[in-house]
């Protein structure tokens, strides 16, 4: 079903006129209630807005918190759309003397392309407003993973982008900011309907929806960029365990992500990149990142790969996380049985832990991969890593063209967000530990020796790396050639990770 464009435009005008923004909603119910919402509790926000019938409060109560109202109250708050328009858009239904929302329409702000981007996102009501377990066909709104992936998307202009597993369409909307066209796919008809609705509601064209799994809907086509927050959750394949479309790809273990990695090269244009989130299993005697490396190697199209593991969970913690995510609370009926089903499933494959992280894959324009980086970065990071990731790829390509002599002839500067920390034992003149701290990007902290610390400190855009290393070798009374051989590979890594930059 295609939503009525005129009704979507009317609703957009009503939401704009009422000032229904993320900031206005937070201000309306207050800081404590807003924090409660982030923890899945809607009661404080409802209490804060109780009795208010101004347009903003009514929209917060009806469209954010899914509260039912008499038709005339909604007609006043939404003069162009009216309660009949909400019903026609399948966002609400009649319920006796009331009109009851069956979807949420929530304001969403996102930092993108150097500024704040505002959208309204329609989706199914979440656990904050639904009492009990969610339906298996639930279409998720914008959550933490959605924001993480949106922030990982690069902002450079491209022609075509593929959004695999689009859900409510948030990644497609984000991709359209820099793409001429976006194809958004999902196995869920309901999800595709929400994506159409959200594109129309926000006045965004150029997004095409197609139904199907993984790359089936675009077989034979190529894209400049692929983004995906796929249904990667490892779910037991046993009776009694609900399979939620938004998080469960229907395969055993981590096979969904494995299939994505093995198959994405076929839909990437040369130099095209894929950006996704995923889980991977650690099995007895087998490291999770090694498993991902095997998936990359199994691709029929050679791929560059940069995999960043952000979190590692034990089987019990993973099971409890996703049982609660489905709306089954600890202590409630069925909770223990569901957790035990997860643990039995993990035991059957000798799973010892589950990793979560970011996957960046690229089809090399030359056909020959040059990047294979598999790492663990568990420090908290800010959203909006897309620019850093894109810059790191550009630096990697520049470094591939530089031999050691070329790197030694390069003039470098220290990135503006880098600081140094020195730790001394009591009474000692020389530091026992020297660390470089990165304020942005992945917030890395690396330990360096005095020679590398001196080199980084001297990179001010004046002298090239080679003469600086020679001067440091003389100061430390060490062999200059040996110091170059030791330092230059680490300089390459500092450039890739963003501690240093080409002047």
């Amino acid at each position: 079903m295609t939503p009525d464009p005129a009704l979507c435009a009317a609703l957009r005008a009503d939401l704009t006129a009422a000032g229904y923004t993320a900031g206005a909603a937070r201000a309306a119910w207050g800081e404590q209630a807003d924090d409660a919402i982030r923890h899945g509790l809607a009661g404080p926000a409802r209490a804060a807005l109780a009795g208010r019938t101004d347009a903003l409060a009514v929209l917060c109560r009806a469209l954010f918190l899914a509260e039912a109202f008499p038709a005339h109250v909604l007609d006043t708050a939404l003069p162009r759309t009216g309660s009949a328009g909400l019903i026609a858009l399948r966002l609400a239904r009649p319920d006796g003397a009331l009109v009851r929302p069956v979807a949420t329409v929530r304001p969403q702000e996102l930092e993108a392309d150097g500024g704040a981007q505002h959208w309204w996102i329609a989706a199914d009501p979440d656990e904050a407003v639904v009492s009990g377990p969610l339906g298996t066909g639930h279409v998720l709104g914008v959550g933490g993973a959605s924001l993480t992936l949106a922030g990982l998307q690069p902002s450079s202009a491209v022609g075509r982008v593929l959004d695999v597993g689009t859900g409510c369409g948030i990644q497609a909307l984000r991709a359209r900011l820099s793409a001429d066209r976006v194809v958004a796919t999902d196995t869920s008809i309901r999800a595709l309907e929400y994506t159409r609705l959200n594109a129309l509601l926000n006045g965004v064209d150029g997004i095409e929806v197609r139904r199907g799994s993984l790359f089936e809907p675009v077989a034979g086509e190529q894209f400049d960029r692929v983004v995906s927050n796929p249904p990667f959750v490892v779910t037991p394949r046993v009776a009694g365990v609900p399979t939620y479309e938004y998080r469960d790809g229907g395969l055993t273990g981590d096979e969904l992500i494995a299939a994505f990695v093995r198959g994405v090269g076929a839909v990437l244009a040369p130099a095209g990149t894929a950006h996704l989130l995923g889980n991977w299993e650690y099995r007895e005697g087998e490291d999770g990142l090694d498993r991902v490396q095997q998936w990359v190697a199994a691709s029929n199209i050679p791929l560059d790969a940069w995999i960043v593991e952000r979190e590692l969970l034990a089987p019990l913690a993973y099971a409890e996380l996703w049982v609660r995510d489905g709306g089954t609370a600890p202590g409630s009926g069925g909770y223990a049985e569901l957790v035990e089903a997860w643990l039995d499933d993990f035991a059957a494959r000798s799973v010892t832990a589950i990793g979560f992280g970011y996957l960046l894959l690229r089809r090399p324009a030359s056909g020959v991969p040059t990047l294979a980086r598999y790492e663990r970065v568990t420090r908290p990071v800010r959203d909006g890593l897309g620019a850093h990731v894109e810059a790191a790829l550009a630096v990697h390509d520049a470094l591939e063209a530089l031999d050691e002599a070329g790197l030694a002839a390069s003039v470098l500067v220290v990135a503006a967000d880098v600081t140094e920390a020195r730790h001394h034992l009591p009474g000692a003149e020389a530091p026992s530990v020297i660390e470089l701290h990165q304020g942005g990007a992945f917030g890395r902290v690396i330990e360096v020796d005095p020679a590398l610390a001196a080199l980084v400190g001297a990179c001010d855009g004046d002298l090239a790396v080679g003469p600086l290393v020679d001067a440091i070798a003389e100061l430390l009374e060490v062999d200059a050639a040996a110091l170059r051989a030791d330092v230059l590979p680490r300089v390459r890594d500092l450039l890739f990770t963003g501690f240093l930059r080409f002047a």
Side-chain angles (χ1 to χ4, degrees):
M1 172 184 172
T2 299
D4 183 346
L7 272 179
C8 290
L11 180 55
R12 181 168 68 250
D14 282 336
L15 299 180
T16 302
Y20 183 52
T21 66
R26 285 193 295 267
W29 51 55
E31 183 177 342
Q32 286 188 330
D34 196 59
D35 189 49
I37 283 176
R38 287 194 293 271
H39 287 79
L41 302 171
R46 287 198 177 102
L49 298 175
R52 285 182 52 177
T53 57
D54 56 286
L56 175 61
V58 169
L59 296 183
C60 288
R61 294 168 66 185
L63 299 183
F64 203 109
L65 304 172
E67 186 176 337
F69 281 94
H72 70 86
V73 176
L74 293 173
D75 292 342
T76 301
L78 298 166
R80 301 165 185 81
T81 312
S83 58
L86 289 182
I87 293 170
L89 289 171
R90 294 169 43 169
L91 297 172
R93 61 175 176 82
D95 184 9
L98 302 175
V99 174
R100 184 171 301 280
V102 295
T104 56
V105 181
R106 294 179 171 176
Q108 182 64 53
E109 289 179 354
L110 177 73
E111 286 295 323
D113 296 340
Q117 183 67 39
H118 171 84
W119 291 302
W120 293 287
I121 303 297
D124 286 336
D126 59 19
E127 67 276 8
V129 295
V130 172
S131 178
L134 302 174
T136 55
H138 179 84
V139 176
L140 197 66
V142 179
S146 303
L147 294 175
T148 295
L149 181 60
L152 281 169
Q153 286 199 42
S155 297
S156 57
V158 290
R160 301 182 76 215
V161 172
L162 171 64
D163 174 18
V164 179
T166 189
C168 66
I170 181 64
Q171 304 305 328
L173 289 171
R174 169 66 183 88
R176 182 66 176 89
L177 293 175
S178 52
D180 295 332
R181 305 289 297 179
V182 176
V183 175
T185 69
D186 208 293
T187 59
S188 165
I189 294 176
R190 187 172 179 80
L192 297 178
E193 289 176 348
Y194 272 123
T195 298
R196 288 193 191 98
L197 173 63
N198 287 326
L200 288 169
L201 178 58
N202 291 284
V204 177
D205 63 2
I207 296 177
E208 176 190 354
V209 301
R210 302 183 194 175
R211 188 183 184 200
S213 178
L214 288 177
F215 310 114
E216 293 171 358
V218 294
E221 301 179 52
Q222 291 187 337
F223 296 83
D224 304 297
R225 188 173 296 153
V226 176
V227 298
S228 183
N229 182 12
F232 57 73
V233 175
V234 178
T235 305
R237 300 283 158 235
V238 296
V241 176
T243 54
Y244 296 99
E245 289 183 336
Y246 73 88
R247 71 185 201 191
D248 176 22
L251 302 179
T252 299
D254 52 18
E255 181 57 30
L256 188 281
I257 297 299
F260 191 108
V261 172
R262 291 192 296 258
V264 70
V267 300
L268 284 173
T273 57
H275 309 260
L276 68 149
L277 309 179
N279 276 157
W280 40 85
E281 295 181 340
Y282 283 66
R283 297 179 182 175
E284 193 71 43
E286 187 177 23
D287 186 280
L289 288 180
D290 289 344
R291 288 174 56 74
V292 180
Q293 193 164 3
Q294 293 167 17
W295 302 339
V296 173
S299 170
N300 290 329
I301 306 295
L303 295 173
D304 285 324
W306 180 12
I307 314 301
V308 181
E309 184 174 270
R310 298 286 294 127
E311 187 176 3
L312 190 66
L313 289 179
L316 177 58
Y318 189 89
E320 291 185 316
L321 169 68
W322 292 110
V323 171
R324 291 194 304 269
D325 178 80
T328 302
S332 63
Y335 179 84
E337 291 80 4
L338 287 173
V339 170
E340 289 169 6
W342 248 277
L343 296 180
D344 290 344
D345 182 59
F346 286 138
R349 292 189 303 281
S350 301
V351 174
T352 58
I354 304 91
F356 165 80
Y358 315 150
L359 300 92
L360 167 64
L361 306 167
R362 181 173 65 168
R363 180 173 183 172
S366 67
V368 180
T370 58
L371 176 61
R373 188 180 182 99
Y374 299 79
E375 59 180 327
R376 296 175 175 91
V377 184
T378 57
R379 295 178 63 85
V381 299
R382 300 174 182 174
D383 288 332
L385 288 168
H388 168 67
V389 168
E390 199 162 29
L393 284 180
V395 168
H396 169 79
D397 293 341
L399 288 170
E400 282 297 306
L402 280 180
D403 59 14
E404 297 306 285
L407 180 59
S410 299
V411 179
L412 308 179
V413 295
V414 182
D417 64 333
V418 172
T419 57
E420 181 185 273
R422 293 180 176 238
H423 304 270
H424 295 73
L425 292 173
E429 182 178 349
S432 57
V433 176
I434 306 174
E435 294 175 335
L436 298 179
H437 292 244
Q438 186 177 49
F442 279 103
R444 300 173 190 268
V445 176
I446 61 171
E447 186 174 336
V448 295
D449 56 34
L452 187 57
L455 175 61
V456 171
C459 286
D460 57 6
D462 186 12
L463 295 177
V465 171
L468 289 175
V469 173
D470 292 343
I472 293 168
E474 183 176 354
L475 181 65
L476 297 178
E477 299 181 343
V478 299
D479 181 71
L483 187 60
R484 282 197 185 203
D486 173 61
V487 166
L488 289 184
R490 292 189 284 163
V491 169
R492 288 180 179 272
D493 196 66
L494 289 174
L495 282 163
F496 180 84
T497 52
F499 285 85
L500 294 174
R501 295 176 181 168
F502 289 105

